[in-house]
Amino acid sequence: MPKSLNILDIMEQLPHRYPFLLIDRVVELSDELDRVVAIKNVTMNEPQFTGHFPQAPVMPGVLIIEAMAQACAIIALARLPKDVDPKKCLFYFAGIDNARFKRIVQPGDQLVIEGKFLKAKLGMGIFEAVARVDGKVAASASMMCAYRPAPQQTAPAAE
């Protein structure tokens, strides 16, 4: 896997799409596949800002956590066993612990997300992530995820 990924590369890796694809670039993926640094550019044209909050737009904490999880998914995908097709599996949250929000995130901010793989246990990956704006911690959390086969797509019945 390359050391950095642009948005097209990320879309090849992750199943998420607008408005739920929440990382824009991977600037670093360690050789050991245990650390990732990703960027999320926060812009006013994102749909959550029409209601959260119109006079003082703030990125919802749950979306910050999701952006951190998507960054960690890049590590998880790179660590899949060679016999597992990443296109045929999905990662699901199994737990979020110690989530903390230290500052608000607003349009114009750039989240720099650092994700770390800690260990695999009972078929789950355990990660921790920190999202920073201008070098200051905006949010942090420990996360567990498990991969499962993706649901099979069925063709619509012919009439």
Side-chain angles (χ1 to χ4, degrees):
M1 181 172 280
K3 302 265 188 228
S4 64
L5 303 171
N6 64 31
I7 190 63
L8 297 176
D9 298 326
I10 292 167
M11 290 173 70
E12 276 290 313
Q13 296 287 317
L14 300 180
H16 305 80
R17 295 295 178 264
Y18 178 85
F20 223 71
L21 180 58
L22 296 175
I23 58 173
D24 297 314
R25 179 173 295 276
V26 170
V27 294
E28 182 183 338
L29 180 60
S30 69
D31 289 334
E32 298 80 18
L33 305 177
D34 63 353
R35 182 175 175 275
V36 67
V37 178
I39 292 174
K40 160 67 177 145
N41 294 303
V42 182
T43 63
M44 188 59 195
N45 64 346
E46 295 175 49
Q48 67 269 15
F49 296 124
T50 59
H52 197 267
F53 305 100
Q55 283 70 34
V58 175
M59 185 171 181
V62 68
L63 294 181
I64 298 170
I65 294 288
E66 177 63 26
M68 294 187 317
Q70 289 179 21
C72 289
I74 296 295
I75 299 172
L77 286 162
R79 296 181 66 88
L80 281 173
K82 299 291 183 213
D83 62 335
V84 175
D85 182 353
K87 302 274 189 231
K88 294 184 179 176
C89 66
L90 292 175
F91 287 88
Y92 295 96
F93 271 129
I96 302 169
D97 296 315
N98 304 315
R100 297 290 181 264
F101 303 93
K102 303 291 187 179
R103 67 173 304 233
I104 62 171
V105 176
Q106 300 174 298
D109 287 343
Q110 183 179 70
L111 279 176
V112 178
I113 301 162
E114 181 180 3
K116 293 181 181 174
F117 171 78
L118 300 178
K119 64 182 174 178
K121 181 179 177 181
L122 301 172
M124 299 208 203
I126 301 172
F127 301 85
E128 58 184 31
V130 176
R132 292 180 176 87
V133 175
D134 296 329
K136 297 180 182 102
V137 174
S140 61
S142 298
M143 296 172 278
M144 292 189 321
C145 69
Y147 78 89
R148 300 288 183 261
Q152 296 299 314
Q153 299 290 331
T154 56
E159 292 186 24

